[in-house]
Amino acid sequence: MNCFRNTRTCLSVAALATVVGAPLAAQTTVDVAIIGEADTFDPMVSTKDVVSIVTQHFVETLYTFDDSWAVVPLLAADMPQISEDGLTYTIPLREGVTFHDGSTMDSADVVGSIERWLELATRGRSIADKVESVEATGEHEVTISLSAPYAPLLSLLAFSNSAAAVYPEEILAETIENVVGTGPYKIAEHAPDQYLQLTRFEDYTQPTGAAERQQTPDEIRFVPVPDPNTRVEGLLSGQFDFADSLPAESFARVESSDVAEPLVLEPFGWPLFAINHKQGLLTDKTLRQAVQAALPHDDMLFAAFGDDTFFQVDGAQYPEGWTWQTDAGTDLYNQNDLEKASALLEEAGYDGTPLRILTSRQYEFHYKMAEVAQMALEAAGFDVDMTVVDWATLSQQRDDPTMWDIYITHSPFLPEPSLTSTFFSTSREGWANPEKEELLTAFTTETDPEARKEIFADIQQIVLDDVGFIKIGNFNSLQGKSTALSGVEAAPWPQFWNASVAE
């Protein structure tokens, strides 16, 4: 039985089952327990957090976010020059940027990559009809021309989730089997469902300023550990330097440990019930309203997190302190009204067709919320069919609208609402409401911040009126790190290029 470090204690046999076969780690390796396998290394085609966490270390975008969520250049040499009418973005590119295959990035690579993003990525497709052209206007310059102003464009180009990733032009295809990036680390070895080993890219061209990436560890090893309690035990035993998405009830154990400490991100984000608007039961608005009326949000959150230190019963899309916070429509939140739900079922002529809920236990709080929801929905009169699968399977099945009516997921609070793909009809949920579409167009083309806030309040109102999706509340994220680990902070997508481990 191998351990990642000779000086560390191995996990129990059951816990070690997820990592058997991993090689011994070098002294400068950071070992990270994540919730499951990243089923693609192409972040352009995925919105999964686990994909973003892993791929941000070897794939890069033109822009990124700093610690305060401001957009800063990464592969771009500077912020773009934007025309007065807001229709043209001229982006200078850094020179001498090297891909992991040894080739040098130029404007042709960037143009081809952005065109692929507009065609394939969830977030790219959301603006594809507004992009008139993407052109190389110099060897190291790209110009994006729009049909109408689009205020969130730079945030979309900076996001590592459904990312506008830059690849060599030569590998661009609908499916990229071997991803080639420009990041500070590159893939050295991948044993599916066991580990992903990244090593320092020695020819990395370092950006300056807020985007700087120090390449401190020699190696970063991501280990998929689907069971949350196994992630806790691995952290406390010293097997892992960092563990993501820990159950709230493990906080006291981690806090009292001599070898580990908790990292709490408050507020982190919001769990949601994503609704299938493409086909099935919930294409009927009255049935959606019945689900909304039946759900006991406070009970669901308590079951999921156990301690109100870790959650807030809040129906607003953004919490207090955020620019986008508004109470519009929140009178429809947390109704917990079984009588109303039953009446809505009768009004809709509900015939007992099972309501299919898709969830996973890799995010244990998803499953616990689903259990409470099932009881409430059945009490209201729904026949509920709950399917529990691993996260990778859920991620595949949610792309097939014939297999579910609700799937359970979550999102961090994002600085720009337009980064939330669920608002858009191009998302897998397919919520296409004419009034909402008009509001989204107004929101994304408006550049005045105060006017955008007013429009967003109208968008939140229609989310609740039409039951576009169901926000359950706010929650705080618990992660854990070794006391010997430095250079890593609590974050939605933790980064390890500046991490070091004291021996």
Side-chain angles (χ1 to χ4, degrees):
M1 183 182 297
N2 289 334
C3 291
F4 288 118
R5 289 194 178 91
N6 293 328
T7 58
R8 295 186 172 186
T9 304
C10 290
L11 290 171
S12 66
V13 173
L16 189 61
T18 61
V19 297
V20 167
L24 291 172
Q27 288 185 337
T28 54
T29 295
V30 175
D31 296 313
V32 181
I34 51 179
I35 66 104
E37 177 79 358
D39 59 348
T40 179
F41 296 145
D42 178 4
M44 194 179 287
V45 299
S46 177
T47 59
K48 286 182 283 189
D49 289 345
V50 69
V51 172
S52 295
I53 290 171
V54 168
T55 58
Q56 65 182 333
H57 293 84
F58 52 86
V59 173
E60 295 181 317
T61 48
L62 289 174
Y63 295 95
T64 189
F65 295 105
D66 67 12
D67 292 341
S68 61
W69 288 106
V71 175
V72 295
L74 181 54
L75 291 175
D78 204 342
M79 300 302 289
Q81 180 180 346
I82 305 174
S83 62
E84 288 188 12
D85 60 8
L87 299 180
T88 304
Y89 287 65
T90 302
I91 302 172
L93 306 178
R94 287 169 49 211
E95 299 185 26
V97 173
T98 304
F99 287 107
H100 296 161
D101 64 0
S103 62
T104 301
M105 183 191 78
D106 60 21
S107 55
D109 301 312
V110 175
V111 169
S113 296
I114 293 178
E115 289 178 339
R116 179 177 185 263
W117 177 69
L118 292 169
E119 180 179 352
L120 298 180
T122 299
R123 292 185 174 84
R125 291 200 307 269
S126 73
I127 66 162
D129 62 345
K130 301 171 184 63
V131 177
E132 289 192 338
S133 65
V134 182
E135 298 178 294
T137 47
E139 186 177 359
H140 295 98
E141 182 182 273
V142 170
T143 298
I144 301 175
S145 299
L146 306 176
S147 58
Y150 196 80
L153 178 60
L154 291 183
S155 292
L156 285 172
L157 293 176
F159 203 22
S160 63
N161 186 280
S162 188
V166 176
Y167 302 124
E169 181 184 23
E170 292 74 19
I171 72 167
L172 294 175
E174 182 172 351
T175 300
I176 298 177
E177 296 295 338
N178 297 304
V179 169
V180 177
T182 59
Y185 289 83
K186 61 182 181 180
I187 298 172
E189 188 173 357
H190 178 222
D193 296 314
Q194 294 183 48
Y195 63 93
L196 171 68
Q197 184 179 5
L198 306 182
T199 56
R200 186 188 295 122
F201 178 40
E202 299 298 345
D203 292 327
Y204 182 60
T205 50
Q206 184 68 250
T208 58
E212 188 174 354
R213 295 159 186 212
Q214 292 294 337
Q215 296 181 280
T216 303
D218 293 322
E219 298 179 356
I220 305 168
R221 185 179 290 108
F222 294 99
V223 182
V225 184
D227 181 72
N229 293 317
T230 303
R231 293 197 293 277
V232 173
E233 297 305 325
L235 177 69
L236 295 177
S237 71
Q239 188 72 30
F240 302 119
D241 298 304
F242 186 95
D244 192 32
S245 191
L246 303 182
E249 57 267 26
S250 67
F251 177 81
R253 287 191 65 205
V254 178
E255 186 179 42
S256 63
S257 167
D258 293 332
V259 299
E261 59 189 63
L263 296 174
V264 178
L265 186 59
E266 179 181 359
F268 170 80
W270 48 291
L272 73 147
F273 280 24
I275 291 175
N276 187 346
H277 290 266
K278 293 182 177 179
Q279 57 182 280
L281 273 182
L282 299 186
T283 57
D284 185 321
K285 178 179 177 179
T286 306
L287 289 178
R288 296 198 300 273
Q289 291 173 324
V291 172
Q292 181 187 55
L295 293 180
H297 293 244
D298 43 3
D299 291 342
M300 293 164 66
L301 289 163
F302 187 80
F305 301 104
D307 184 338
D308 59 11
T309 301
F310 285 93
F311 70 86
Q312 301 87 41
V313 183
D314 180 12
Q317 195 67 50
Y318 282 84
E320 290 289 344
W322 286 71
T323 298
W324 308 107
Q325 202 282 331
T326 172
D327 291 333
T330 54
D331 57 307
L332 295 171
Y333 172 75
N334 195 28
Q335 297 174 58
N336 194 9
D337 189 337
L338 296 181
E339 185 176 340
K340 177 181 178 181
S342 297
L344 287 164
L345 285 178
E346 184 176 353
E347 178 186 335
Y350 176 62
D351 61 2
T353 300
L355 177 69
R356 299 162 300 165
I357 298 178
L358 184 61
T359 190
S360 169
R361 297 198 71 158
Q362 279 164 273
Y363 292 108
E364 184 71 6
F365 68 97
H366 291 187
Y367 174 73
K368 290 179 178 178
M369 287 188 299
E371 285 188 306
V372 176
Q374 180 177 15
M375 289 188 289
L377 291 166
E378 288 177 344
F382 279 103
D383 180 7
V384 178
D385 178 9
M386 189 163 78
T387 302
V388 184
V389 296
D390 62 79
W391 187 247
T393 301
L394 183 149
S395 299
Q396 293 172 348
Q397 292 184 358
R398 68 183 181 178
D399 287 332
D400 182 351
T402 67
M403 301 190 71
W404 58 278
D405 298 301
I406 293 171
Y407 76 85
I408 302 174
T409 186
H410 67 270
S411 172
F413 291 112
L414 301 172
E416 163 57 53
S418 300
L419 294 175
T420 301
S421 60
T422 312
F423 285 121
F424 294 89
S425 60
T426 52
S427 71
R428 64 176 59 85
E429 296 83 17
W431 180 34
N433 174 297
E435 183 181 355
K436 182 263 301 182
E437 301 304 323
E438 290 182 11
L439 287 169
L440 279 175
T441 298
F443 181 70
T444 56
T445 55
E446 179 59 64
T447 57
D448 178 71
E450 291 303 313
R452 296 191 81 216
K453 286 168 63 176
E454 292 179 9
I455 299 169
F456 183 72
D458 293 336
I459 292 173
Q460 180 174 292
Q461 179 74 53
I462 201 170
V463 167
L464 286 138
D465 285 344
D466 197 47
V467 199
F469 50 86
I470 299 176
K471 178 191 174 185
I472 307 305
N474 306 337
F475 76 104
N476 305 333
S477 170
L478 177 62
Q479 300 163 330
K481 76 174 191 70
S482 163
T483 54
L485 181 69
S486 60
V488 179
E489 304 294 334
W493 304 283
Q495 304 160 348
F496 300 96
W497 44 70
N498 294 339
S500 59
V501 180
E503 293 295 330

